[in-house]
Every structure is written in structure tokens, then in C-alpha cells.
Amino acid sequence: MNTTLNRKAILIATLVSVLVIATVFYGSRKLQNFDPALIGYLFGTVFAFFGIVYRYSVWLQRPPTWMYFKRTWQFVFKGQVFAHLYFFIKEFIQNIGFQKFIYPRGRSRWIGHFLMAVGCTMAFAITFPLTFGWIHFTLNPETSLNPDSVRMYEAHFFGFKVFEFPLGSFIAFFTFHALNWCSWLVIIGVLIFMRRRLTHAGLISIQSFDGDLLPLILLLAISITGLGLTYDYQFMKGMAYDFMAVTHAVTVIMFLIWIPFGKFFHIIQRPAQIGAHIYKREGIKRGMAVCPHTGKEFATQMHIDDLKTVTKELGFDFTRADGTSHLDLSPEGKRSRLGMAHLKARQQDGGKLFG
Amino acid sequence: MPQTNYQTQQEFFVDMQRCIGCRACEMACAECETNGHESMIHVNYVDRAVTIQTTVQVCMHCDDPVCANVCPADAISKDEFGVVHTANTARCIGCSNCVMACPFGVPKKNEAYDLMMKCNMCYDRTSAGKKPMCATVCPTQALYYGTREEMARMRPNSTPVNNFLFGNEKVSTKVNIMMPKGSTQLIVD
């Protein structure tokens, strides 16, 4: 196992982490709006950013990944920018927003994943800016001093007031409990997936505790301890609130620092799927490869040519004596050629059935 | 991986000349729980213009799997028993690199799922000490799962071969192909 640290990745990750810290400093108006109670979450988030960018940078350096990354951006920036942008947005909504590709794999699977994804994404969108001090809330001083007026609550983004709402209103209830709604979505999604993972024989045989069950347990722990905070101050008069707060913080910080190493990294990898779709779409425009064995089109010529380059970079050489490549064949062609080679070997041996 | 009862002395043997094209293996393969009930095995005509011979192709579980190497999403892994597993559903981005790079033409892309799927030697069964579904139903034993000694006793005029030459590339595999006695490799040109 190669345990050497990747210098390029360390440099990029460090730069991004410094950038995050700078945006926290200036986004919170020189820490004026930063909530010191969230310092632990901030450290966890900065570490997560470092780890994610590090792993992403190492991942991009692998020849096949780099080929897709390079090609995708070449297409996006070499003409038809708006056509690519439209395709990207459409794909992002369908495949990242709604995870369309999971539905054919199973309805309950899609429902569970969609609920977890929506819950987690909403929670990220709320907690990251809160932790960074980009969002903060204040009570409107005029309404708070006047006993006859409805007290108004103000939301600020980067120090600018963006909207206000009356305390005790439906909007207030909905906003203050936003993370609770996220928790419920995640809990339902996790339970659907836990049921699958505990009852499906195929999954049981190949799943691992840290790779597949622990992520679900962690999401469940975050959601339940998060709901516990509200439960504590609503129904327990705030008793043992410190314990509840610390328990929740521990689960969230564990989640954050684990993102780069475990299953949650697929959240960061998934947009690459759109790159693969752009690659295929662009390749079709440039022409298809025809299998010399079947005579049928089977992939884009660009894909086959790039694969020849990538396999060579990885140390594989499928070049034949006549200068063509085994990779010029379609999967069906390859299977037939293997069968033909076997038949040839049998014929050379006299052509009889050997037992 | 969870605790397993994988039988390391048991090997997979494919004897192409014995395939009669009955497709029982295809039906059995779809029973495998790890495939999500999709059949992963391939039954092909060798060269239909000149012979009615069919052949069957399972994943050969390469020692240095090209599919895993060319995967841009690190979705394919090989375990301690040498079984090359199908794409991790969370990671696979459906790019088809593995489908096009596999020298044996094994992985399949399921377009609706946007996912590559392939034979993982019925890991739900083999990890429990059982034989893969296809090998249990093959009526001619073109697909056989057992020990090398059993094979030597049953097929004295054959040699299991797991070295292949595709152009300049030597590929060695976990799965064996039965060849005339004394053969050391199968050259595919």
C-alpha cells in the first residue's frame, strides 16, 4: 500500500482550507457574527474540507479520472458553452437533485435515498452558513422595545438583512425547526435502507459494517440527537441540555471528519456522472466505433481511443502484431474471439473433443 | 466483508467445447441475490457462419483486473480471495470504461440503472461455501466449480489454463479455461 502523502493534493487542500477560514473571517464580518458555541463544528468542517479536497485531488490524478475530468472541461469551454450549461443543469436536477437513476433500481430504494439526500442537503445548506457565521438572526430592536407591536425576527446573510418574520408565526415555526424537518426526512430514509441492509441476502453477503452500516447508524445518531435538542428545551425544561448538545456535536463532528474517508465521499464523487454523460454525448457527435468482428457500432470512437491511452498509462498493452488493438473489439466481439481462439487451439490438437 | 466460509481450494473451470447453448446458466445466474436478479453470464456463438458451437463467458476474475484499473470512480474492488466484485452502486458513474476495457468482454452496463454490473462469482453463495448458481445447473459441466484434483480425475486429457495473451498483454486469471492437455496459455488474436 502506498502511504506516501501526495504533495500536490496537500497544497491544494491547504489552500482551500485557508480560503474557507478567510471566508469565515470576512463572511462573519471579522467574526462579529460568528457564534463561538459552534467552534467545534467549525474545526470539524474545516478538517472535512481539507480531507475532501485532498482525496478529490488524489482521485483526479488517477489516469482514467483525469481523462474524464480533462475531457469534460475541454468540451465545456470549447464552444457550445450554453448548450453544455443547459445539459449540465438538466442533468444536475435529474441525477443529483432527484437521483433519477436510482428509481429503476427499486422504488423504496429511491424513496429512501431521496429522503436522506434531501434531508442532508438541506441540513448542509443551513448548518454550514450558520457555523461560518454567514447567517445570523437578530430581534428587531424597535419591535422588541414596543410592547404593543408584533415582535419581528431578522435573518442576516453576510451581515446584510435578507428577510424578517413575526415571532410566533408559521414562518417562524417552520424556520426555527428547519433542521428538525431534515432529521425526520433522514430518519425515514435511514430506516428504509437499514431494513434493506438487514434483510436482503445479496447485500448481507457483500456489505461491511464500516462501509455500509456505520454511515446509516451515524446519520440516525445525528438526526436523533438533533431532535433531542428541541425535545430537551420544549419538553424537559432544558434539563441536561449540555449533555444533549455535546452528544449531538460529537456525532456531527464524527460525520464531518469521516466524509473524506468513507461512504459519504460518494456525495462528492457523484457529479462526475454528469461529466461521463457529457463525454458520451460529445463522443456520439464525433463518431462511433465499429467492431471489426460484429460490424456493429458499440461505443464512441473517442472513448475507445482514450481507453487505449489510459490503459497504456496504467501499464496494459493490448496492441496486436498488426498494429490494431484488442480494445477495437466490442464486448461481444471479444467474447467471440476468445471462443474462436479456443476452437483454433482445439483444431490444432486434432479437432476432437478432449475430455 | 463479513465473516465468510469461502472455500479457497475450490476453483472455477470453464470448458467451452462442452457448452450446448441451453442457457440454463443464464436463468440460474438471474437467481443470484448479489446481482439483483439480473443475469450476468454471456452465452455466445463461437463463429456462427462455420459452427453451431456456443460458448459461455463468466467473469474471469483477473489477478490484475483491467476493469478496476480503468474505473475512474474506484468502484470495482478485488477481495482477499481474488474475487473481483461488481461495481459499488454508490460510486459507479456508469461511464462504461470497464465494459470497453475488459479483454474478455464481461461487464454489462445497465442503462436504466446507469450502473455497470458483472458476475461476482455468486458471492452470496460462494462466501457461504456453496457453488455458483451457473455451475450447479450446467447439464454438461461446461461450467464446473470444484477442486483441481476433481477436475484432473474427471478430465484426464485436459489442462486448466488461466494465462491469456491479448495482443502484447498477458492476463492471468482466477477462473480456468479447459484446454487440450499440455497447453499453457490461450492466445487470442
Side-chain angles (χ1 to χ4, degrees), chain B residues 45-61:
Chain B
Y45 282 98
V46 172
D47 189 359
R48 201 164 182 191
V50 295
T51 172
I52 55 162
Q53 178 72 59
T54 50
T55 180
V56 61
Q57 188 68 58
V58 292
C59 175
M60 300 298 287
H61 299 276

Side-chain angles (χ1 to χ4, degrees), chain A residues 59 62 64-65 68 104-105 205 207 270 273 277 303 307 316-317 319 326 334-335 338 342 346 349 354-355, chain B residues 2 17 42 44 57 69-72 74 90 92 97 100 102-105 113-114 157-158 166-169 178:
Chain A
W59 179 52
R62 289 199 51 231
T65 321
Y68 273 102
R105 300 181 192 179
S205 71
Q207 72 194 2
R270 181 51 57 185
Q273 186 180 20
H277 289 179
H303 193 185
L307 262 181
F316 297 98
D317 184 9
T319 314
H326 186 65
K334 286 172 186 157
R335 294 194 297 269
L338 185 76
H342 190 266
R346 182 173 145 194
D349 194 52
F354 52 90
Chain B
Q17 61 178 350
H42 302 270
N44 314 285
Q57 188 68 58
N69 277 281
V70 298
C71 176
D74 302 332
C92 177
N97 260 11
M100 298 305 156
C102 171
F104 298 96
Y113 299 174
D114 212 355
N157 297 317
S158 307
F166 298 98
N168 296 330
E169 189 61 38
M178 300 309 289

Side-chain angles (χ1 to χ4, degrees), chain A residues 190-227:
Chain A
V190 165
L191 292 179
I192 292 173
F193 266 77
M194 277 210 166
R195 181 175 177 272
R196 265 176 59 74
R197 292 219 164 264
L198 295 175
T199 56
H200 190 287
L203 287 177
I204 290 169
S205 71
I206 52 171
Q207 72 194 2
S208 65
F209 178 75
D210 57 333
D212 300 296
L213 293 172
L214 191 59
L216 294 174
I217 294 168
L218 203 50
L219 285 177
L220 196 63
I222 292 171
S223 305
I224 289 174
T225 54
L227 285 176

Side-chain angles (χ1 to χ4, degrees), chain B:
Chain B
M1 294 293 161
Q3 207 173 7
T4 67
N5 188 25
Y6 192 93
Q7 304 293 311
T8 47
Q9 77 281 13
Q10 303 238 314
E11 291 185 51
F12 207 118
F13 301 91
V14 180
D15 196 344
M16 292 182 161
Q17 61 178 350
R18 285 174 172 257
C19 179
I20 55 168
C22 69
R23 298 183 187 269
C25 54
E26 277 188 0
M27 300 301 115
C29 183
E31 294 295 318
C32 173
E33 296 269 10
T34 45
N35 299 350
H37 296 174
E38 304 275 346
S39 186
M40 295 289 113
I41 202 163
H42 302 270
V43 178
N44 314 285
Y45 282 98
V46 172
D47 189 359
R48 201 164 182 191
V50 295
T51 172
I52 55 162
Q53 178 72 59
T54 50
T55 180
V56 61
Q57 188 68 58
V58 292
C59 175
M60 300 298 287
H61 299 276
C62 302
D63 291 345
D64 185 13
V66 187
C67 59
N69 277 281
V70 298
C71 176
D74 302 332
I76 305 170
S77 59
K78 191 178 123 180
D79 69 19
E80 69 267 36
F81 305 116
V83 174
V84 181
H85 287 269
T86 189
N88 179 319
T89 52
R91 287 188 187 172
C92 177
I93 57 169
C95 70
S96 295
N97 260 11
C98 51
V99 179
M100 298 305 156
C102 171
F104 298 96
V106 166
K108 283 184 182 180
K109 162 91 184 288
N110 186 319
E111 292 294 339
Y113 299 174
D114 212 355
L115 174 74
M116 181 283 275
M117 296 174 80
K118 71 164 197 69
C119 151
N120 61 0
M121 217 185 267
C122 281
Y123 199 75
D124 60 326
R125 294 176 57 83
T126 48
S127 64
K130 296 180 181 174
K131 294 172 191 276
M133 284 302 289
C134 56
T136 61
V137 299
C138 182
T140 59
Q141 295 192 327
L143 299 164
Y144 185 80
Y145 192 77
T147 63
R148 221 157 240 271
E149 292 70 33
E150 284 171 351
M151 203 24 126
R153 203 165 51 241
M154 288 193 304
R155 318 260 170 96
N157 297 317
S158 307
T159 302
V161 164
N162 63 353
N163 289 305
F164 302 84
L165 193 65
F166 298 98
N168 296 330
E169 189 61 38
K170 278 184 189 167
V171 176
S172 53
T173 61
K174 179 178 171 66
V175 173
N176 304 283
I177 284 195
M178 300 309 289
M179 295 276 290
K181 195 169 181 68
S183 307
T184 52
Q185 67 172 359
L186 179 54
I187 300 167
V188 183
D189 49 16

Side-chain angles (χ1 to χ4, degrees), chain A residues 17-316:
Chain A
S17 305
V18 170
L19 199 68
V20 170
I21 294 166
T23 57
V24 170
F25 186 75
Y26 291 106
S28 62
R29 296 284 177 99
K30 295 184 179 173
L31 302 181
Q32 185 180 223
N33 304 324
F34 180 74
D35 184 352
L38 303 178
I39 190 80
Y41 291 100
L42 179 64
F43 278 118
T45 310
V46 172
F47 182 87
F49 268 85
F50 180 87
I52 288 166
V53 175
Y54 179 83
R55 182 165 172 193
Y56 203 89
S57 306
V58 173
W59 179 52
L60 280 186
Q61 289 171 43
R62 289 199 51 231
T65 321
W66 181 248
M67 182 62 89
Y68 273 102
F69 188 76
K70 188 178 74 178
R71 287 271 185 249
T72 305
W73 294 110
Q74 274 175 358
F75 301 144
V76 170
F77 289 113
K78 279 187 184 169
Q80 295 187 307
V81 176
F82 290 106
H84 284 306
L85 192 66
Y86 171 75
F87 183 75
F88 183 87
I89 293 169
K90 192 183 88 173
E91 286 268 314
F92 197 89
I93 294 168
Q94 286 180 344
N95 285 339
I96 309 298
F98 287 97
Q99 299 120 47
K100 190 183 84 171
F101 57 95
I102 298 180
Y103 194 81
R105 300 181 192 179
R107 195 173 62 173
S108 70
R109 204 166 157 185
W110 177 79
I111 293 169
H113 194 274
F114 183 68
L115 293 175
M116 281 196 289
V118 171
C120 289
T121 313
M122 274 170 46
F124 288 150
I126 295 164
T127 52
F128 279 19
L130 269 179
T131 307
F132 292 167
W134 295 352
I135 291 178
H136 74 283
F137 295 91
T138 54
L139 196 58
N140 182 319
E142 285 176 31
T143 59
S144 63
L145 292 171
N146 181 356
D148 297 330
S149 77
V150 178
R151 288 196 292 172
M152 300 298 283
Y153 215 56
E154 295 174 343
H156 304 263
F157 191 57
F158 286 125
F160 301 103
K161 181 180 153 188
V162 282
F163 81 105
E164 63 176 6
F165 48 85
L167 276 183
S169 65
F170 175 75
I171 298 174
F173 178 77
F174 193 80
T175 309
F176 291 147
H177 293 90
L179 286 174
N180 287 345
W181 314 135
C182 298
S183 295
W184 283 115
L185 295 179
V186 172
I187 288 170
I188 298 166
V190 165
L191 292 179
I192 292 173
F193 266 77
M194 277 210 166
R195 181 175 177 272
R196 265 176 59 74
R197 292 219 164 264
L198 295 175
T199 56
H200 190 287
L203 287 177
I204 290 169
S205 71
I206 52 171
Q207 72 194 2
S208 65
F209 178 75
D210 57 333
D212 300 296
L213 293 172
L214 191 59
L216 294 174
I217 294 168
L218 203 50
L219 285 177
L220 196 63
I222 292 171
S223 305
I224 289 174
T225 54
L227 285 176
L229 293 173
T230 307
Y231 186 86
D232 189 285
Y233 69 71
Q234 290 273 29
F235 304 109
M236 290 169 64
K237 298 177 182 172
M239 277 193 293
Y241 191 81
D242 284 353
F243 171 77
M244 301 299 274
V246 168
T247 315
H248 183 60
V250 166
T251 56
V252 172
I253 292 166
M254 273 173 64
F255 168 81
L256 286 170
I257 60 178
W258 199 42
I259 291 177
F261 310 108
K263 184 153 196 166
F264 297 120
F265 193 69
H266 84 274
I267 302 167
I268 317 294
Q269 282 184 312
R270 181 51 57 185
Q273 186 180 20
I274 303 175
H277 289 179
I278 292 175
Y279 182 86
K280 189 177 173 187
R281 189 169 172 254
E282 196 64 27
I284 291 170
K285 284 186 203 163
R286 293 173 185 214
M288 301 297 284
V290 176
C291 173
H293 183 83
T294 63
K296 291 179 193 159
E297 291 180 348
F298 67 100
T300 70
Q301 189 59 53
M302 181 173 67
H303 193 185
I304 301 304
D305 292 342
D306 283 347
L307 262 181
K308 288 178 193 167
T309 310
V310 167
T311 45
K312 282 224 167 114
E313 283 177 38
L314 291 164
F316 297 98

